[in-house]
Amino acid sequence: DIEDLIQREDMVVTVSHNGYIKRVPVSAYRAQRRGGKGRAGMTTRDEDFVSQVFVVNTHTPVLFFSSRGIVYKEKVYRLPLGTPQARGKALVNMLPLSEGETITTLMPLPEDETACEQLHVMFATASGNVRRNRLSDFTNVMANGKIAMKLDEGDRLIAVRTCSEDDDVLLATLMGKCIRFRTTDVRVFTGRNSTGNRGIALAKGDEVISMSILDHVDIEGAERAAYVRMASGLRRGAEAEEETASDADDEEDDGSVTLSVERFDELAAREQFILTIADTGLGKRSSAFEYRVTRRGGKGIELMKFGSRDARVAAAFPVLDEDQIMLVTNGGKLIRTPVGDIRIAGRSTRGVTLFRIGDDEHVVSVAHLGDVGEDEEDEQAGDTEIPVDNAGEGEADA
């Protein structure tokens, strides 16, 4: 067996925004002290950049889920080997993709694939459908791929995420709606030829643009609103408290509920933040506690206010303070910015300007780069510099 002859070695797998992939031995990246400028992680064209990085073994299987609902599978040692500066190979030339088919999600599997029996995956489509399967349903994949999810005509797969029964699903739509529900609201399907269940009821012309998996926290509505009010007041003072009060109106937050120091600290330790960016370049972070858990299939709640009638949501996903993001416009301009500089604001607010763009431009894509370290040359963002000791899994919403 040729696989037994392949030496086990840790590899840094790098994927660019425009779909170029490569693997580089971890040993090729010299360890650096924190705070350095790093080194080039991939040679890219001006309009391209590194969007996903993960460290895996040469024998690790990787699933590639496409917009057509097809899944492909390759072992890491079969991915193109390159140097830290190499561009890599286009996925379209490596996988049997049809015209217009793109890869929406890359998912490394456990090397011991028997562990997949304990893991689940959640699918989401642009039309608002969701489906949950065991990850083990996708371990046996032929070279030409196999159907991962049946899609209605005109629909497309936009995301696939691993999840557990202790998680929540957050769907965000183009026109600024969102819904959050328990993963257990979606039954485990035993087959792959199903369109799934309705996750969100969409208005005419709307579509789902992203799916996020959040930690579930048992918290009552009034207690949740009280935490948001108190946390916001601590972050920015009384002015912020008044601003956030409007976001808690749906919970009838009259200020009568107060939290003990212990309960507040407990919730603070479990708080997550959702970054939402409009195609106008405006964006904000909001506490995940502001997105209340409901039943799936509803119309959802407001995700973001728009300053323009024509504005739309470009991306929405969970972030950490130390993460960075890359915004790209339809004019080919891009900017990289640290998440920690983005203001924390109420769920239904407009946010602040993240990217000043022209009147005829709009943001078409936002990539979540994770923690990629410091870089003094952010404005020269053709190369994303990634010190290997900080390389984490990224996420692209394209």
Side-chain angles (χ1 to χ4, degrees):
D1 190 342
I2 187 173
E3 187 167 323
D4 294 332
L5 302 177
I6 302 295
Q7 181 180 358
R8 294 180 183 274
E9 185 178 4
D10 286 338
M11 292 281 173
V12 179
V13 175
T14 309
V15 186
S16 84
H17 178 70
N18 285 348
Y20 286 82
I21 189 170
K22 67 173 181 178
R23 61 183 172 97
V24 180
V26 168
S27 58
Y29 292 89
R30 176 173 54 87
Q32 300 181 17
R33 294 181 62 85
R34 181 184 63 82
K37 293 174 64 176
R39 64 178 298 177
M42 174 184 276
T43 298
T44 56
R45 294 178 177 175
D46 289 343
E47 69 275 12
D48 202 6
F49 56 88
V50 176
S51 63
Q52 298 182 66
V53 177
F54 43 88
V55 179
V56 286
N57 190 279
T58 45
H59 289 248
T60 299
V62 179
L63 297 181
F64 300 78
F65 292 93
S66 83
S67 55
R68 289 181 52 236
I70 307 296
V71 60
Y72 305 92
K73 180 181 177 183
E74 287 287 359
K75 289 290 185 74
V76 169
Y77 68 79
R78 293 187 179 274
L79 301 180
L81 181 65
T83 64
Q85 295 78 27
R87 186 183 185 191
K89 184 177 181 179
L91 283 168
V92 69
N93 295 328
M94 194 187 79
L95 300 172
L97 302 178
S98 59
E99 185 177 355
E101 184 180 12
T102 58
I103 297 299
T104 61
T105 302
L106 273 72
M107 183 181 295
L109 293 175
E111 190 174 336
D112 178 9
E113 295 186 12
T114 59
C116 295
E117 285 287 347
Q118 310 303 319
L119 299 173
H120 291 170
V121 287
M122 188 73 71
F123 295 80
T125 74
S127 68
N129 288 339
V130 292
R131 203 189 71 196
R132 183 162 63 113
N133 279 78
R134 295 190 185 279
L135 185 54
S136 56
D137 293 344
F138 308 99
T139 55
N140 184 22
V141 180
M142 299 295 101
N144 61 344
K146 78 177 192 179
I147 296 174
M149 182 174 184
K150 182 180 178 181
L151 300 176
D152 294 325
E153 185 175 354
D155 201 3
R156 68 185 189 279
L157 187 65
I158 58 104
V160 186
R161 303 281 181 263
T162 56
C163 65
S164 75
E165 295 189 347
D166 296 322
D167 292 328
D168 294 338
V169 179
L170 178 70
L171 301 179
T173 79
L174 187 69
M175 295 170 64
K177 291 291 186 179
C178 66
I179 192 169
R180 180 176 181 175
F181 54 87
R182 298 294 306 272
T183 57
T184 49
D185 281 358
V186 183
R187 68 178 178 86
V188 179
F189 284 75
T190 56
R192 297 172 291 104
N193 293 320
S194 168
T195 56
N197 302 132
R198 175 180 290 180
I200 185 171
L202 297 171
K204 184 178 180 179
D206 202 3
E207 64 180 57
V208 174
I209 60 157
S210 73
M211 175 181 67
S212 303
I213 301 298
L214 303 175
D215 297 335
H216 180 75
V217 179
D218 289 321
I219 182 172
E220 296 296 329
E223 187 181 36
R224 179 175 62 84
Y227 174 83
V228 170
R229 184 180 68 248
M230 294 170 64
S232 182
L234 286 174
R235 288 187 187 109
R236 297 188 301 274
E239 181 181 30
E241 186 173 333
E242 293 176 3
E243 173 190 324
T244 307
S246 62
D247 297 324
D249 284 345
D250 56 349
E251 300 295 347
E252 299 181 352
D253 178 29
D254 57 7
S256 62
V257 175
T258 58
L259 303 178
S260 66
V261 173
E262 293 77 11
R263 179 59 170 164
F264 181 89
D265 290 344
E266 177 188 352
L267 294 175
R270 303 194 63 183
E271 187 174 22
Q272 294 175 279
F273 292 92
I274 307 299
L275 174 68
T276 308
I277 297 175
D279 61 3
T280 56
L282 293 175
K284 49 84 186 278
R285 285 185 291 164
S286 300
S287 171
F289 287 129
E290 294 202 50
Y291 302 82
R292 66 180 183 271
V293 178
T294 62
R295 301 288 294 179
R296 66 167 179 83
K299 294 183 178 180
I301 59 176
E302 193 168 37
L303 173 70
M304 185 182 203
K305 286 187 182 296
F306 297 121
S308 166
R309 181 175 299 179
D310 297 328
R312 294 291 184 265
V313 176
F317 47 81
V319 289
L320 302 174
D321 265 357
E322 59 269 25
D323 291 348
Q324 295 191 22
I325 56 170
M326 188 83 78
L327 287 72
V328 186
T329 73
N330 59 331
K333 296 180 182 177
L334 54 85
I335 188 173
R336 194 175 90 190
T337 186
V339 167
D341 290 348
I342 301 173
R343 177 186 174 193
I344 297 175
R347 168 176 54 81
S348 60
T349 57
R350 290 174 53 191
V352 296
T353 300
L354 305 183
F355 198 175
R356 296 190 184 278
I357 57 179
D359 293 337
D360 58 344
E361 277 189 302
H362 57 273
V363 175
V364 294
S365 180
V366 182
H368 180 197
L369 304 180
D371 179 7
V372 295
E374 301 286 340
D375 184 3
E376 296 175 1
E377 301 177 12
D378 283 342
E379 295 189 6
Q380 299 177 8
D383 294 338
T384 301
E385 300 178 347
I386 305 170
V388 70
D389 56 341
N390 283 334
E393 183 176 349
E395 173 180 323
D397 293 289

